[in-house]
Structure formats: structure tokens, C-alpha cells
Amino acid sequence: MIHRFLRTSYWAQDIPRGVVVKCIRNSLCFAAFYGQKQIGFARVITDRATFAYLADVFVLPGHRGRGVARLMISKILAHRDMQGLRRILLATKDAHGLYTPFGFMPPIHPEHFLTIALPEVYRKKARAKTKQQSAP
Ligand SMILES: CC(C)(COP(=O)(O)OP(=O)(O)OC[C@H]1O[C@@H](n2cnc3c(N)ncnc32)[C@H](O)[C@@H]1OP(=O)(O)O)[C@@H](O)C(=O)NCCC(=O)NCCS
């Protein structure tokens, strides 16, 4: 379910299943359940001492607008490994309204942050694989 959602997300399009398995294994993961059914997911990449990066936050479409994401974020921030950190970072295109009540804000000095961003990384790999498979 996590892979099915993430591979169509705007931030991890075409992410291979193996990469999702590996990132789950190496992250602090959180899930939301409605009865037996998983309806939400989020993960934190962290050293559990100074820094954390909140990633892959989602709630399945039929369950949105009922406070599920807000509950996940509050549980994440209350987790024992999230205490006393110097910085918690996240990136979002449009869900700022979810995070600002928890104290997240745009960086005061965005020019102090640098990134290597390869948004096409999985799509290129997927295209190359398809090409390879269709080659004679
Ligand atoms: C963003 C997402 C996780 C929110 O989940 P949700 O369970 O519907 O959110 P909640 O019901 O807990 O909303 C809590 C608050 O956040 C706000 N919020 C939720 N999604 C928002 C969005 N996209 N933009 C702005 N505010 C948003 C809500 O308005 C609500 O505040 P309110 O009660 O004052 O109105 C969900 O819409 C989703 O999975 N979207 C697709 C994936 C995505 O964009 N993930 C975010 C990547 S950072």
C-alpha cells in the first residue's frame, strides 16, 4: 500500500518497491490504521539525537479531512526519539497548513540551505528499464 501510494506521489514518482522497502527499514516509521486497514503513513529519517527529516507523509484519499494527518504529526513529535533535537526539517508543496500549527515555518535564511535535488531519478531508471526490456 505504501509503495502503491508513493510511486504515484508528486515527490517520489515511479519509486521502485525495493527502494521503499530499504527506506522503511532505515527510518523511524509511523502508520495510521482504521480498524485493520492502514490508511496513513509517515517516516522520519533521524540520528535520534540532533536532527530529523520528516518524509512521505500521506493519508489515503477516502480518509482525508478527518484529522488523521494531524494525529500522526502530533504522535511523531511526541515520540521519545524526537525530543531535544536541534532541527526538524520537511519539504512540502502545499500542505503548510498541516504543519504550521506544530511550529514548522519557512527557514528564516533559506539561502543557508543547499540541496542536491534529482526529482527525475526514479523516472529515468524506470524509462531505461522499459527500453532495455523492449530492446531486441
Ligand atoms: C496532506 C495530507 C497528509 C493531509 O492529511 P489529512 O488527514 O487530510 O489532514 P488532516 O485532516 O489531519 O488536516 C489537519 C489540518 O491540516 C490542514 N491541511 C491538510 N492538508 C492540507 C493541505 N494540503 N494544505 C493545507 N492545509 C492542509 C487541514 O486544513 C487541517 O486544518 P484545519 O482542521 O484547521 O482545517 C493528505 O491530504 C495527503 O495525503 N495528501 C497527499 C500527500 C501529500 O501531499 N502529503 C504531504 C507531503 S508533505
Side-chain angles (χ1 to χ4, degrees):
M1 165 277 201
I2 296 168
H3 177 237
R4 219 170 27 242
F5 182 88
L6 288 179
R7 73 188 166 94
T8 61
S9 67
Y10 70 80
W11 66 87
Q13 228 174 19
D14 291 330
I15 187 167
R17 196 171 189 281
V19 175
V20 173
V21 169
K22 192 171 176 184
C23 75
I24 287 173
R25 194 175 296 143
N26 293 314
S27 302
L28 181 59
C29 293
F30 296 82
F33 284 84
Y34 183 72
Q36 297 291 309
K37 183 179 150 64
Q38 187 178 354
I39 57 165
F41 177 75
R43 69 186 177 99
V44 176
I45 304 148
T46 181
D47 60 8
R48 292 173 155 91
T50 62
F51 175 76
Y53 185 85
L54 180 56
D56 294 341
V57 178
F58 70 84
V59 172
L60 291 182
H63 298 270
R64 289 178 190 166
R66 296 179 197 161
V68 174
R70 183 193 289 124
L71 187 61
M72 280 203 298
I73 303 302
S74 70
K75 293 288 182 192
I76 291 168
L77 295 177
H79 190 277
R80 65 174 184 280
D81 289 343
M82 295 294 284
Q83 308 312 307
L85 307 181
R86 199 159 67 234
R87 192 188 301 277
I88 304 173
L89 195 65
L90 68 83
T92 184
K93 191 168 71 174
D94 58 12
H96 302 71
L98 170 62
Y99 301 108
T100 49
F102 291 101
F104 286 93
M105 57 172 100
I108 296 166
H109 293 290
E111 72 278 12
H112 292 181
F113 289 82
L114 299 176
T115 175
I116 295 176
L118 305 168
E120 292 282 306
V121 66
Y122 310 129
R123 307 194 75 185
K124 273 190 193 144
K125 272 191 189 148
R127 276 201 297 270
K129 207 171 160 188
T130 315
K131 245 187 199 169
Q132 227 174 28
Q133 279 166 353
S134 59

